[in-house]
């Protein structure tokens, strides 16, 4: 059985963003939100030829159907699965490949199995999967029929991509369930809302919590693509503020293609680490940590030397002038947050029992990825559960592939994961089997490690070394409120994110960090961010600019009022992946691990959980992003980790002056940032000249952050915003 742990096509295409922001470019919002590839397509043809689109503040975002992929929604398991603990996506792959079918006879099995179909079935969270044929002799209609024969399948659903964008963007897929997020104008009465729902044959699934006048609804009349048309009709109704499908999107952590060139292991990892640390100078700081010399984003001197300019956020100096972010709470809206990590356990916020509208079992944040709806005594109903850590069910899904990368021979691995072979060889056609297998191990392990993206983000902000052992965050005394919105494989929906943002604000956090930059623009999310910012003038939201190397940051960082953060390398350059230009505020270290892992951002990992190593011998070597054999610590790259650097700096500022509002904090961050230590590459300088002098915007880019303006910004501001964040200067100004 060929197992795919994660959606490869989505991973490869996760660099495809939809939007950027540029003041004055389009009269949409107080600060306009633009999306160039979409805008280009709409300029040429205002109406998509296949009439598939959804709306964003009146704009039509053109879409296209993906008939080459079948999306599956599974029935709730409720303990009735027919074959033990086998995950449903693996059961479906097995049934399709062996020709079995369930539920067509009294015994639940076919007497004579049908012909098997060679397919890849890839999980998308725990409720959905994507089925892709690998045998050209079978049509997706044939596969769809065979899928629907399985009694554990609820239905098959349309798969959509953006239309009129680059080839990579065309591969970005979303699933269209029969769910629409509808926002009603505040002056509408309940009876008027009921009338609008009745007129369009809609029923309420549930009101969305932590937001006003917003509901998740389903159509009683339409299914499939018809749900998209229903949402578009709703969006034109008087009294409806917004209506768009609750797309199921995958925003998995991007594994850069070039990362595979470093595939391999580091033998004798612990001994080598000790030798390396012994050769590096130590730092005398209030927060002692044996791994601090490797944390170049906090202080780059140990690795760059005294004669080189600093390229870090100067956190170690800021600690001397602050309380480390004490009494400051940072909500981390992200994926799995393994808060029992030894360096996070003392940093996790405990929600007081006196909190209004406390959710059932809520102690350390909330996991919005569980589709089970729970209700309080006050009849506040929300999906999810109170634990953001990995569940036993998720371990069952991830453990087999993880362990097989350590236990299988090269030939066994290549046979088991044949579909990975195709992608790797497409980029590296001359590999030997041994080289191919080595890359495959790296790829699978990195994908599974990246499920703990939220743990990585939280560690950058507020990890604490236990007995001077481990890593330290930018604001070690701050507290983290874990909020999980990503299922396995980066599965996320707008409704889930809307509720998460409102939940964090209602828990009175000081800062919200969103290390996610790959969302399709969704009006309900932007509306929710505006509402939360308006109602909480002291709340600061920080988001990653995106890893797409595009002009203009991605969503939700593109939303006005959110601090958008690009990424720099240890050399002080813009990282090769970091987006720039329109709506970029500041930059911070994000790391580049392409040539050397030590150039990544050091933080807390998640694969140390016992369930991953159950029944196997722990290796003596480190692998992929892991610093140690079990993955307690990782070194990673991305704007996902430059944003937490800034969130940590905001926590330090708020710790020394709780009276600062958002506008003042943003101003201080920008005014104290500088271009000291930053260097533009020749390629970036030439690209800037092209944008400034010619006004050329490449089709795969968003609208430029330079050329439409009467007075173009400098090349430095174009690529670095207001500059590299300086925690020491920001704390001094805050004091």
């Amino acid at each position: 059985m060929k197992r795919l742990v994660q959606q490869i096509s989505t991973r490869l295409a996760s660099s495809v963003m939809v939007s950027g922001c540029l003041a004055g470019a389009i009269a949409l919002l107080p600060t306009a939100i633009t999306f160039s590839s979409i805008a280009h397509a709409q300029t040429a043809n205002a109406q998509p030829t296949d009439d598939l689109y959804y709306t964003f503040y009146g704009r039509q975002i053109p879409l296209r159907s993906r008939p080459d992929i079948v999306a599956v929604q599974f029935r709730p398991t409720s303990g009735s699965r027919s074959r033990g603990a086998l995950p449903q996506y693996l059961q479906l792959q097995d049934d399709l490949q062996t020709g079995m079918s369930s539920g067509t006879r009294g015994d639940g099995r076919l007497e004579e199995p049908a012909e098997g179909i060679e397919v890849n079935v890839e999980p998308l969270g725990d409720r959905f999967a994507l089925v892709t044929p690998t045998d050209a002799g079978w049509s997706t209609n044939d596969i769809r029929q065979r899928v629907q024969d399985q009694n554990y399948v609820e239905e098959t659903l349309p798969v959509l991509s953006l239309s009129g964008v680059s080839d990579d963007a065309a591969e970005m897929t979303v699933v269209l369930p029969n769910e629409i997020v509808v926002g009603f104008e505040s002056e509408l009465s309940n009876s008027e809302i009921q009338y609008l729902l009745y007129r369009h044959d809609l029923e309420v699934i549930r009101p969305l919590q932590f937001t006003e006048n917003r509901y998740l609804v389903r159509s009683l009349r339409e299914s499939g693509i018809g749900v998209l048309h229903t949402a578009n009709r709703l969006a034109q109704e008087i009294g409806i503020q917004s209506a768009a499908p609750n797309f199921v999107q995958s925003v998995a952590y991007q594994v850069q293609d070039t990362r595979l060139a470093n595939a391999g292991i580091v033998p004798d990892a612990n001994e080598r680490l000790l030798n390396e640390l012994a050769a590096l100078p130590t730092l005398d700081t209030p927060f002692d940590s044996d791994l601090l010399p490797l944390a170049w984003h906090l202080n780059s001197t140990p690795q760059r030397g005294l004669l080189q300019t600093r390229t870090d956020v100067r956190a170690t100096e800021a600690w001397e002038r602050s309380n480390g972010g004490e009494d400051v709470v940072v909500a981390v809206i992200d994926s799995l947050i393994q808060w029992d990590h030894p360096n996070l356990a003392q940093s996790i916020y405990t929600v007081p029992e006196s909190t209004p509208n406390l959710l059932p079992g809520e102690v350390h944040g909330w996991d919005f990825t569980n589709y089970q709806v729970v209700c309080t005594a006050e009849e506040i109903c929300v999906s999810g559960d109170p634990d953001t850590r990995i569940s036993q069910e998720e371990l069952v899904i991830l453990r087999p592939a993880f362990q097989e990368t350590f236990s299988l021979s090269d030939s066994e691995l290549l046979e088991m994961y044949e579909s990975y072979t195709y992608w790797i060889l497409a980029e590296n056609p001359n590999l030997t089997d041994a080289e191919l297998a080595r890359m495959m191990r790296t790829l699978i392990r990195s994908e599974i490690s990246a499920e703990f993206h939220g743990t990585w983000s939280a560690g950058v902000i507020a990890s604490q070394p236990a007995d001077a052992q481990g890593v330290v965050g930018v604001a070690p005394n701050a507290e983290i409120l874990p909020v999980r919105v990503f299922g396995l494989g980066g599965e996320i929906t707008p409704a889930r994110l809307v509720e998460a943002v409102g939940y964090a604000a209602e828990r009175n956090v000081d800062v919200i960090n969103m290390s996610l930059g790959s969302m399709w623009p969704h009006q309900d999310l932007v509306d929710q961010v505006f509402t939360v910012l308006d109602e909480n003038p002291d709340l600061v939201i920080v988001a990653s600019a995106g890893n797409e190397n595009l002009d203009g940051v991605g969503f939700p960082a593109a939303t006005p009022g959110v601090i958008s953060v690009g990424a720099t390398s240890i050399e002080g350059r813009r990282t090769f992946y970091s987006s720039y230009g329109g709506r970029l505020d500041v930059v911070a270290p994000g790391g580049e691990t392409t040539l050397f892992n030590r150039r990544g951002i050091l933080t807390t990992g998640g694969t140390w959980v016992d369930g991953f190593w159950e029944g196997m011998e722990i290796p003596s070597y480190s692998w992929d992003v892991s610093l140690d054999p079990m993955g307690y610590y990782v070194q990673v790259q991305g704007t996902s980790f430059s944003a937490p650097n800034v969130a940590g700096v905001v926590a330090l500022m708020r710790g020394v002056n709780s009276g600062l509002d958002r506008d003042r904090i943003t101003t201080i961050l920008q005014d104290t940032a500088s271009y000291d230590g930053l260097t533009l590459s020749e390629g970036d300088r030439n690209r800037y000249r092209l944008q400034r002098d010619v006004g050329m915007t490449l089709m795969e880019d968003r609208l430029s952050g330079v050329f439409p303006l009467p007075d173009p910004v400098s090349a430095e501001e174009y690529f670095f915003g207001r500059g590299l964040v300086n925690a020491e200067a920001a704390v001094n100004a805050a004091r």
Side-chain angles (χ1 to χ4, degrees):
M1 182 169 55
K2 306 177 184 70
R3 302 177 187 175
L4 290 181
V5 179
Q6 199 171 339
Q7 182 185 346
I8 299 176
S9 61
T10 303
R11 187 200 67 249
L12 299 179
S14 66
S15 64
V16 182
M17 292 304 93
V18 187
S19 59
C21 286
L22 169 65
I26 297 178
L28 261 177
L29 297 172
T31 299
I33 298 178
T34 67
F35 24 89
S36 71
S37 55
I38 294 171
H40 281 303
Q42 290 170 343
T43 301
N45 182 6
Q47 180 69 24
T49 56
D50 56 5
D51 201 32
L52 295 181
Y53 65 92
Y54 76 101
T55 61
F56 178 72
Y57 291 99
R59 284 265 174 171
Q60 292 183 8
I61 311 298
L63 304 170
R64 69 180 182 90
S65 177
R66 290 294 303 274
D68 54 320
I69 305 175
V70 176
V72 178
Q73 180 174 340
F74 296 113
R75 296 184 189 278
T77 57
S78 65
S80 61
R81 284 188 356 215
S82 60
R83 282 197 294 260
L86 192 67
Q88 287 176 309
Y89 85 98
L90 288 180
Q91 180 176 338
L92 178 60
Q93 181 163 274
D94 192 22
D95 286 340
L96 293 176
Q97 290 181 348
T98 59
M100 293 293 190
S101 180
S102 59
T104 58
R105 294 174 56 90
D107 58 6
R109 310 292 289 176
L110 282 175
E111 235 177 71
E112 294 293 334
E115 182 182 355
I117 306 174
E118 286 298 314
V119 295
N120 289 330
V121 181
E122 302 157 353
L124 190 57
D126 59 2
R127 196 169 68 144
F128 302 95
L130 298 177
V131 182
T132 307
T134 58
D135 184 345
W138 291 89
S139 70
T140 49
N141 286 334
D142 295 330
I143 294 173
R144 185 174 290 106
Q145 183 58 56
R146 187 74 65 85
V147 166
Q148 291 171 340
D149 287 341
Q150 313 302 325
N151 62 11
Y152 52 88
V153 170
E154 182 79 32
E155 60 180 325
T156 58
L157 300 169
V159 180
L160 301 170
S161 289
L162 295 173
S163 180
V165 295
S166 67
D167 291 340
D168 283 343
E171 295 302 317
M172 172 68 87
T173 58
V174 300
V175 174
L176 178 64
N178 187 359
E179 295 179 355
I180 301 172
V181 182
V182 183
F184 294 95
E185 298 291 350
S186 58
E187 61 269 16
L188 257 63
S189 65
N190 285 336
S191 60
E192 289 172 320
I193 290 175
Q194 289 298 325
Y195 173 71
L196 284 171
L197 295 174
Y198 170 79
R199 209 171 89 187
H200 290 273
D201 283 336
L202 300 170
E203 68 173 357
V204 173
I205 299 174
R206 62 183 179 86
L208 293 187
Q209 299 301 324
F210 311 108
T211 183
E212 296 293 331
N213 306 311
R214 197 163 277 117
Y215 296 82
L216 190 62
V217 305
R218 68 166 59 93
S219 175
L220 298 174
R221 179 198 313 168
E222 301 283 0
S223 62
I225 293 296
V227 175
L228 190 65
H229 300 316
T230 298
N232 293 335
R233 288 193 296 269
L234 278 171
Q236 299 176 14
E237 285 276 9
I238 294 175
I240 291 181
Q241 180 175 318
S242 59
N246 191 36
F247 295 118
V248 181
Q249 187 176 348
S250 177
V251 187
Y253 174 67
Q254 182 177 353
V255 179
Q256 301 289 347
D257 301 4
T258 50
R259 206 34 208 97
L260 292 179
N262 258 350
I265 62 174
V266 178
D268 304 318
N270 291 332
E271 182 180 350
R272 286 182 176 230
L273 178 59
L274 290 175
N275 292 336
E276 182 178 352
L277 290 171
L280 291 174
T282 58
L283 296 169
D284 183 16
T285 74
F287 301 98
D288 192 19
S289 164
D290 60 336
L291 298 181
L292 185 57
L294 298 180
W296 68 266
H297 60 290
L298 304 176
N299 188 319
S300 59
T301 302
Q303 292 196 49
R304 285 178 59 81
L306 292 172
L307 300 181
Q308 297 276 7
T309 56
R310 295 278 292 273
T311 56
D312 56 88
V313 297
R314 297 181 179 265
T316 54
E317 288 83 0
W319 295 340
E320 301 285 352
R321 299 284 293 162
S322 72
N323 60 13
E326 190 172 343
D327 297 327
V328 177
V329 181
V330 182
V332 177
I333 299 179
D334 213 302
S335 65
L336 286 168
I337 301 175
Q338 204 68 24
W339 49 259
D340 54 345
H341 188 287
N343 294 156
L344 288 176
Q346 302 303 313
S347 303
I348 296 305
Y349 179 68
T350 299
V351 180
E353 293 183 2
S354 59
T355 298
N357 303 325
L358 194 71
L359 299 174
E362 180 184 0
V363 178
H364 301 301
W366 196 255
D367 179 354
F368 286 90
T369 68
N370 191 321
Y371 283 92
Q372 181 178 353
V373 175
V374 296
C375 299
T376 67
E378 293 78 19
E379 297 185 353
I380 296 174
C381 297
V382 64
S383 66
D385 68 72
D387 198 341
T388 64
R389 297 173 296 178
I390 192 168
S391 67
Q392 286 301 312
E393 292 77 12
E394 290 168 324
L395 271 171
V396 167
I397 292 175
L398 297 178
R399 180 170 50 221
F402 183 76
Q403 292 196 355
E404 284 161 359
T405 66
F406 294 95
S407 63
L408 295 182
S409 67
D410 287 355
S411 59
E412 290 170 333
L413 190 74
L414 294 178
E415 180 181 1
M416 183 72 75
Y417 297 93
E418 183 180 358
S419 51
Y420 280 77
T421 303
Y422 173 80
W423 176 76
I424 296 175
L425 288 179
E427 298 293 324
N428 308 272
N430 298 320
L431 293 177
T432 66
D433 283 354
E435 291 169 334
L436 178 61
R438 190 180 64 207
M439 286 191 175
M440 192 176 294
R441 294 182 203 278
T442 293
L443 181 59
I444 296 171
R445 291 169 186 168
S446 66
E447 289 181 334
I448 294 174
S449 300
E451 296 291 354
F452 294 94
H453 186 281
T455 308
W456 299 353
S457 300
V460 175
I461 298 170
S463 55
Q464 282 189 28
D467 299 323
Q469 301 295 308
V471 300
V472 58
V474 176
N477 286 338
E479 294 179 284
I480 296 294
L481 176 69
V483 186
R484 184 182 177 189
V485 292
F486 288 104
L488 295 186
E491 176 250 354
I492 190 171
T493 67
R496 190 183 296 168
L497 195 48
V498 164
E499 290 189 305
V501 170
Y503 164 80
E506 191 167 303
R507 294 301 176 259
N508 295 316
V509 301
D510 300 283
V511 189
I512 293 176
N513 183 84
M514 291 194 286
S515 287
L516 48 110
S518 303
M519 298 296 296
W520 283 15
H522 201 283
Q523 183 174 336
D524 289 279
L525 175 57
V526 175
D527 285 347
Q528 173 76 325
V529 170
F530 283 155
T531 298
V532 163
L533 292 177
D534 289 345
E535 294 178 352
N536 302 273
D538 293 341
L539 175 64
V540 177
I541 300 180
V542 182
S544 52
N547 299 339
E548 293 68 51
N549 187 26
L550 294 180
D551 181 346
V553 304
F555 272 94
T559 309
V562 174
I563 297 175
S564 60
V565 187
T568 54
S569 69
I570 191 172
E571 294 83 11
R573 294 177 181 267
R574 179 180 71 90
T575 59
F576 68 91
Y577 53 79
S578 182
S579 293
Y580 54 92
R583 270 292 293 128
L584 178 64
D585 289 313
V586 291
V587 293
E592 279 187 353
T593 58
T594 304
L595 298 177
F596 190 44
N597 274 5
R598 294 295 186 262
R599 296 177 181 177
I601 303 300
L602 178 66
T603 186
T604 47
T607 55
W608 55 271
V609 173
D610 288 342
F612 281 106
W613 305 96
E614 186 178 289
M616 67 171 288
E617 183 179 352
I618 297 173
S620 62
Y621 54 83
S622 63
W623 37 272
D624 189 53
V625 298
S626 69
L627 181 69
D628 58 284
M630 291 183 67
Y632 275 95
Y633 306 105
V634 295
Q635 292 173 307
V636 291
Q637 66 179 18
T639 57
S640 288
F641 313 110
S642 56
N645 266 295
V646 173
V649 173
V650 172
L652 294 177
M653 296 168 64
R654 184 60 59 78
V656 300
N657 189 342
S658 60
L660 292 174
D661 64 13
R662 176 176 59 256
D663 290 341
R664 184 63 183 138
I665 285 176
T666 302
T667 299
I668 290 175
L669 272 177
Q670 294 177 334
D671 289 349
T672 56
S674 74
Y675 305 120
D676 294 342
L678 299 180
T679 304
L680 283 173
S681 68
E682 183 177 355
D684 278 350
R685 286 194 179 278
N686 288 340
R687 181 161 192 155
Y688 167 80
R689 290 174 63 185
L690 188 69
Q691 295 284 55
R692 182 196 63 191
D693 297 337
V694 181
M696 173 183 176
T697 299
L698 302 180
M699 287 299 291
E700 68 268 19
D701 276 7
R702 300 178 186 86
L703 293 175
S704 171
V706 175
F707 74 84
L709 301 178
D711 300 311
V713 299
S714 67
E716 286 75 16
E717 186 170 351
Y718 185 50
F719 288 107
F720 297 127
R722 296 291 295 275
L724 179 65
V725 166
N726 185 321
E728 179 186 20
V731 166
N732 286 335
R735 291 175 64 90

